[in-house]
Structures are given as C-alpha cells and as structure tokens.
C-alpha cells in the first residue's frame, strides 16, 4: 500500500492537478476569509467554511476523476490487478493519496483562526473542530468520487457523475420535503428503494439471480410489514432517508459552534462505504 500511496501522491504533483486543486481551494477560501472575517469582522472562521461547501462539491470530483478512470483508459489497471498486491492495498493507497492532497489546504486553513486572534477575539476550539469536520466531509466526498471513477474509463464521466451525486446530497434536506407522507406512497417508495439496492448489487456482482433474490426478500418483508400495520409507513421515507442529510452536523458547528459527534460518525461511515464499494468494483474486474 505504501508503494501505491507514494506513487499516486507523486503523480498528483508531477502534473498540475494537485497544485491547481490546492491553489484554487486555498485562493477561494482566502477570498471568503478576507471578506467575512477580516473586512466584515466576523470572528468565526467556521462560518466561512460553511459558505464553501458548494466549492468543495465542485473541487473534489476534479481531484478524484482520474483515480481509477485513467488507469482503465490506459490499461494500467491490468498491470495493477496482476501485481502481487491486494485490492484493498490498491484502493487504500489511492484513497489516502487523495486525502493527503486534500489535507494540505486544510492544514493551511488552521492558520486562519490564529490570524483572527491577532486582531481580536477568536474561537480557536470551534474553528479548528470545524476544519477537522470539513476534512472528514471532504474525505467522504473523495470516497464517493473514487467509487464512481472506478465504474468508468472516462474521466469526464467520472467527474460529472461525482458532481451529480454530491449535488443530490447537497440538496438532500430540501428534497426530503417532497417525499410522500401517505402510507401507500411510502410503500411504493420503499419498494423502489429495495429495487435500487438490488440494482446496486447487480452493478457490482453482475449476478442477476442473487440481485432478484435480494429484491424479492426485501419486497416480501416490506409488503408484510405494511399489511400488519400500515401506519408505520406514514412518513417513513422522510424519516429513513433523512438520516442521509450530511450537512446538518456541519451547520451546527458553522452557525452555533456545536460539534455534532453523529456527523463525525456519518462522515466516517460514508467514507468507509465508498471505499468498500470501490474495492468490490475492482475485485469484480480482477476475477473477470
């Protein structure tokens, strides 16, 4: 894993991708920091980071788009899969290399609360906690972008699809208000969700029989629960999918200086899930 990590990390700085990513993210943050904290005198750098979540959603797909798509396009992936390393070594090596690139601007951000303190009162603890949470959110984004890059050999498709998924997550809280509230509507929604889970398994394993079996089992459980007590399904989609709102925890620390530990768990879980799906996607191609 160390060899892959060092090779990938060097590749980001042997091209312009790494320096441009760091420079753009740092420059945009610097502009917001100057306007919000230095000119307007707002003493909390966490609020500046809260205004930059959309920028992170745009920058991360550019960082992750080449992670696996470039290897597939150049057929270098075949050499990696035949090398004496495990799939997890490959995936984690690439993932940690991208996380290390992202960590550089985050470390630079740690200077901003100190700059605020030189001119007045600063909340160092909450600001540094916000930077740490911002880093974990970026790591979750990187895992998602890496997984989508592993599904295609086109870097453009990888970047656009990553941006699309991250945009949906960004708008998730607003979209949750449009979920059906009736029991019957939630029954249909849960069946659609079961079909999506079965489709995800098929995309990874290419086994239509197991995918159909997964959907059938889930559908039977869902319908049986509905027949037993349909009132349980009222607002179920909003309650279930509302847990995927990944921004509420960051809003708490950006606006109220309150660290939500569930947000930390959510970001780490999302990062692990993205890495796991990437490993499964690569494992499927290794044995194909």
């Amino acid at each position: 894993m160390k060899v892959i990590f060092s090779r990938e990390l060097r590749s980001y700085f042997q091209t312009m991708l790494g320096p441009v990513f760091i420079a753009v993210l740092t420059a945009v943050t610097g502009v917001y920091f100057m306007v919000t904290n230095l000119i307007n005198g707002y003493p909390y750098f966490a609020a500046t980071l809260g205004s930059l979540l959309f920028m992170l959603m745009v920058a991360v797909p550019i960082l992750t788009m080449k992670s696996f798509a470039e290897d597939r396009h150049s057929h270098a992936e075949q050499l990696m899969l035949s090398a004496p390393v495990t799939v997890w070594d490959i995936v984690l090596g690439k993932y940690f290399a991208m996380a290390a690139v992202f960590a550089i601007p985050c470390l630079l951000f740690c200077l901003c609360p100190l700059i605020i303190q030189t001119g007045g009162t600063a909340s160092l603890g909450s600001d540094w906690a916000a930077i740490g949470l911002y880093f974990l959110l970026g790591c979750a984004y990187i895992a998602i972008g890496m997984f989508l890059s592993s599904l295609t050999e086109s870097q453009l498709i990888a970047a656009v699809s990553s941006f699309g998924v991250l945009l949906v997550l960004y708008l998730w809280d607003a979209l949750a208000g449009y979920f059906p509230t009736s029991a019957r509507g939630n029954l249909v929604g849960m069946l659609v969700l079961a079909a999506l889970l079965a489709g995800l398994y098929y995309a990874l394993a290419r086994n239509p029989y197991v995918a159909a079996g997964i959907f059938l089992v889930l559908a039977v459980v869902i319908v049986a629960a509905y027949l037993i007590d349909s009132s349980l399904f009222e607002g179920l989609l909003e309650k279930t999918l509302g847990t995927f709102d990944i921004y509420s925890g960051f809003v708490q620390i950006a606006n109220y200086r309150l660290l939500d530990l569930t947000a930390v768990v959510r970001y780490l879980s999302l990062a692990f899930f993205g890495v796991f799906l990437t490993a499964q996607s690569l494992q499927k191609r290794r044995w194909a």
Side-chain angles (χ1 to χ4, degrees):
M1 187 184 74
K2 292 181 180 179
V3 175
I4 296 174
F5 169 79
S6 60
R7 182 181 71 88
E8 288 294 318
L9 189 59
R10 284 197 307 269
S11 71
Y12 279 104
F13 292 97
Q14 289 172 348
T15 63
M16 291 300 296
L17 183 58
V20 168
F21 171 82
I22 295 170
V24 170
L25 195 58
T26 304
V28 174
T29 304
V31 171
Y32 273 79
F33 170 66
M34 181 180 65
V35 173
T36 304
N37 302 115
L38 299 184
I39 296 178
N40 292 329
Y42 195 71
Y44 303 110
F45 180 68
T48 301
L49 288 180
S51 303
L52 290 169
L53 295 180
F54 186 86
M55 180 62 195
L56 185 62
M57 183 178 66
V58 175
V60 167
I62 298 175
L63 179 67
T64 61
M65 65 181 183
K66 85 175 190 71
S67 55
F68 283 96
E70 183 182 46
D71 291 338
R72 291 188 67 179
H73 180 72
S74 63
H75 302 292
E77 184 185 69
Q78 298 175 7
L79 296 176
M80 282 195 306
L81 294 179
S82 60
V85 293
T86 66
V87 167
W88 279 98
D89 287 336
I90 298 172
V91 173
L92 290 177
K94 287 178 173 286
Y95 176 74
F96 287 139
M98 289 183 285
V101 174
F102 177 62
I104 295 175
C106 290
L107 290 174
L108 295 175
F109 297 163
C110 292
L111 299 175
C112 294
L114 296 176
I115 296 174
I116 296 174
Q117 191 178 40
T118 60
T121 302
S123 181
L124 297 180
S126 63
D127 284 346
W128 284 335
I131 294 172
L133 203 61
Y134 185 80
F135 174 73
L136 293 179
L137 176 61
C139 288
Y141 279 4
I142 289 171
I144 294 173
M146 183 178 67
F147 167 63
L148 294 172
S149 178
S150 71
L151 300 179
T152 179
E153 63 179 30
S154 171
Q155 295 187 42
L156 179 60
I157 294 176
V160 172
S161 60
S162 298
F163 175 78
V165 172
L166 297 182
L167 179 61
V168 171
L169 292 176
Y170 184 78
L171 300 173
W172 193 260
D173 187 45
L175 294 174
Y178 293 95
F179 292 148
T181 57
S182 65
R184 184 173 299 179
N186 279 270
L187 170 64
V188 175
M190 293 301 292
L191 291 174
V192 171
L193 187 60
L196 291 175
L197 291 175
L200 177 61
Y201 177 84
Y202 175 75
L204 293 174
R206 294 295 179 183
N207 191 324
Y209 302 106
V210 176
I214 291 174
F215 173 73
L216 183 61
V217 170
L218 291 176
V220 169
V221 171
I222 291 170
V223 172
Y226 178 81
L227 294 176
I228 294 173
D229 188 358
S230 61
S231 63
L232 296 175
F233 282 76
E234 294 179 359
L236 181 60
L237 272 179
E238 185 174 358
K239 295 175 183 176
T240 303
L241 299 181
T243 58
F244 292 95
D245 178 17
I246 63 175
Y247 290 104
S248 59
F250 199 89
V251 169
Q252 290 292 322
I253 196 167
N255 295 342
Y256 308 108
R257 273 70 63 190
L258 297 174
L259 178 60
D260 186 0
L261 293 180
T262 60
V264 176
V265 176
R266 190 177 292 118
Y267 296 160
L268 291 175
S269 301
L270 188 58
F272 174 79
F273 187 59
V275 171
F276 173 77
L277 290 180
T278 305
Q280 296 306 304
S281 175
L282 205 62
Q283 187 72 42
K284 180 193 69 175
R285 291 200 301 276
R286 186 171 201 171
W287 296 110

